[in-house]
Amino acid sequence: MKGGDVELGELLAAAEAAPPGESVDVVAHDLQKRFGAERVSFLFVDLVGQRLVRLTAADGDAADPDGPIDLQDSVYDRVLRSQRQHVEPDRQGGRRVITPVTNRGDCIGVLEVTLQSADDTVLRQVRDAAHALAYIIVTDRRFTDLYHLGRRTTETSLAAEIQHQLLPSAPCCEADQFTLAAGLVPADDIGGDTYDYTLDRDTLHLSVTDAMGHDTNSALLATLLVGALRRARRSGCDALRQAEHAHRALLSHSRGLATGQLLCVDLETGLCELVNAGHPRPLRLRDGTVEELELAVNLPFGVVAPTPYRLQELQLRPGDRLILLTDGMQERGAAAVDLTALARDTRQLHPREAVRSLTGAVFDACHGNLRDDATVLILDWHGRRRRPADADQDSQR
């Protein structure tokens, strides 16, 4: 490492050489070595999104002796929401530096460092280390339950355990053309709701589904449904064919029903093809106005002899926000929440913060006692952004 700069290759190599459960310490020791950091900790958000857990510290402490830290209204919450580094005196003559650890919009946690001095160069290098840490954690959590175990600050039901294995590993994704985020409550006792997304070269695939029933029965039905959808999607099927595969799977292997909304968005044009199988209609925020989209609604997956599923089209424009919901967001106990007004009021928020506001409002309105899962997926469409290479080519024409 020259001049104190982070040599990313060296740092990643050192992390890879360490056991998966200890690689976070590699970053801590690196900061100690280069900057004389006295305390280095990584804190990540728990499963229900309400507290922070201190996973590791450079001094060898495995966890915070005071236990999980309440996230709401804390300095950590402000860092995660703003995605900006925070610096303040540590009351001992040093500087306390808190930096977001984020990968493609997925807020994994924060890196907390105490330094005797921190100029702009050092602060930039701490940000670089936090960025590297995000990649290290994304890689290493495939090989250890340490991160999953640490996030369990409440007891998780069997149904919720099954459901979380069906969800994407990152609830948020940022790309040139779009930003999306999703969330569901109650996170530690969910049953039948799922959301899914994947990005290929030309298309963004999205789905929100709701398997009927409760507890493990709905979780098992959701497993069959998501498996059928992914198998069809990975075979190159469009939204219509995915719907047909899911329907046949439920008819063949279960007696259950499920609603769902499947979308395929062309990354070049913003043209969205979708199928609605008995699911609540999406909300669209455009030019400050929120409206429920007037879509044809087919019968749910698993209904014997339904009419053929209908492929519909929706043209997204730059600046559009699309909000997909499950019926748990509209249950009777949540009637006090004006979702349309809340969607409008949160239009300036990042999708992950808007999701948090919507699910939190419904959870609070039901006093934490939802009769059904409540899920939100928000897609902000930016459109095709011009890269410098594109501009150069245009100027030469």
Side-chain angles (χ1 to χ4, degrees):
M1 299 183 182
K2 299 179 181 180
D5 288 339
V6 174
E7 290 290 351
L8 185 59
E10 293 181 16
L11 186 58
L12 294 179
E16 186 175 8
E22 299 177 12
S23 58
V24 173
D25 280 326
V26 172
V27 175
H29 290 307
D30 174 72
L31 293 173
Q32 279 185 322
K33 178 181 178 181
R34 292 189 295 125
F35 306 124
E38 296 179 358
R39 290 183 295 277
V40 183
S41 298
F42 170 66
L43 300 95
F44 60 99
V45 183
D46 75 347
L47 189 65
V48 296
Q50 296 179 351
R51 291 187 281 185
L52 279 170
V53 179
R54 195 180 303 272
L55 174 64
T56 186
D59 58 9
D61 294 337
D64 191 330
D66 296 327
I69 302 167
D70 288 336
L71 183 60
Q72 186 173 5
D73 298 326
S74 69
V75 63
Y76 305 111
D77 193 19
R78 294 195 295 274
V79 169
L80 288 172
R81 286 180 180 273
S82 68
Q83 286 296 290
R84 294 181 179 179
Q85 190 177 59
H86 173 82
V87 183
E88 66 181 16
D90 71 344
R91 299 180 182 178
Q92 296 179 359
R95 307 291 285 174
R96 179 189 183 205
V97 181
I98 303 172
T99 308
V101 177
T102 302
N103 176 251
R104 293 188 182 274
D106 178 26
C107 294
I108 301 169
V110 298
L111 179 66
E112 185 173 16
V113 183
T114 300
L115 303 167
Q116 284 303 310
S117 62
D119 59 20
D120 290 344
T121 299
V122 170
L123 293 177
R124 175 180 57 79
Q125 291 167 13
V126 171
R127 292 194 296 270
D128 290 343
H131 191 200
L133 179 58
Y135 281 90
I136 292 169
I137 292 171
V138 167
T139 299
D140 282 353
R141 63 188 177 191
R142 299 179 301 165
F143 306 114
T144 177
D145 275 343
L146 180 63
Y147 302 100
H148 300 287
L149 178 64
R151 297 185 69 196
R152 307 300 169 87
T153 58
T154 59
E155 184 177 355
T156 302
S157 69
L158 175 58
E161 189 70 53
I162 295 171
Q163 288 294 88
H164 278 289
Q165 301 310 306
L166 302 177
L167 303 179
S169 59
C172 181
C173 179
E174 294 177 346
D176 278 349
Q177 301 93 335
F178 68 88
T179 300
L180 69 83
L184 68 171
V185 290
D188 53 354
D189 192 28
I190 56 178
D193 281 11
T194 70
Y195 63 84
D196 201 10
Y197 71 87
T198 191
L199 180 65
D200 60 31
R201 290 183 181 274
D202 305 311
T203 308
L204 170 65
H205 300 265
L206 301 170
S207 70
V208 175
T209 62
D210 182 2
M212 300 297 102
H214 300 283
D215 302 323
T216 54
N217 288 330
S218 60
L220 293 173
L221 180 59
T223 301
L224 177 63
L225 175 64
V226 172
L229 289 172
R230 287 178 175 168
R231 176 175 179 268
R233 187 187 73 207
R234 291 165 181 170
S235 299
C237 295
D238 62 9
L240 181 59
R241 294 287 293 161
Q242 290 176 38
E244 293 168 349
H245 278 271
H247 172 63
R248 288 198 297 270
L250 264 60
L251 285 179
S252 299
H253 302 289
S254 80
R255 298 180 180 178
L257 308 177
T259 68
Q261 200 141 230
L262 315 178
L263 296 83
C264 295
V265 184
D266 187 297
L267 294 175
E268 181 70 21
T269 66
L271 181 64
C272 174
E273 296 183 338
L274 62 89
V275 172
N276 186 310
H279 206 73
R281 294 182 175 93
L283 301 177
R284 181 182 64 195
L285 174 61
R286 174 178 287 175
D287 298 330
T289 300
V290 180
E291 60 179 335
E292 183 179 86
L293 295 178
E294 294 297 327
L295 300 176
V297 179
N298 286 117
L299 293 174
F301 303 123
V303 175
V304 177
T307 57
Y309 290 106
R310 176 179 172 183
L311 189 67
Q312 303 174 76
E313 291 187 351
L314 172 67
Q315 182 62 57
L316 296 177
R317 300 178 186 172
D320 280 356
R321 169 168 287 186
L322 201 60
I323 304 174
L324 310 181
L325 311 165
T326 59
D327 59 8
M329 291 293 295
Q330 303 170 328
E331 71 167 45
R332 183 171 53 189
V337 180
D338 186 338
L339 291 176
T340 298
L342 189 55
R344 184 174 56 250
D345 293 343
T346 57
R347 63 187 181 276
Q348 299 300 329
L349 296 181
H350 189 286
R352 64 172 168 259
E353 299 304 327
V355 164
R356 185 175 170 184
S357 294
L358 267 65
T359 56
V362 168
F363 189 78
D364 291 343
C366 296
H367 307 289
N369 297 312
L370 281 77
R371 295 180 303 168
D372 197 2
D373 311 342
T375 301
V376 177
L377 186 151
I378 294 180
L379 172 68
D380 278 2
W381 182 251
H382 312 311
R384 183 175 181 272
R385 292 177 174 174
R386 290 165 58 89
R387 295 183 174 88
D390 297 330
D392 290 343
Q393 290 175 4
D394 290 345
S395 67
Q396 295 172 7
R397 292 172 183 170

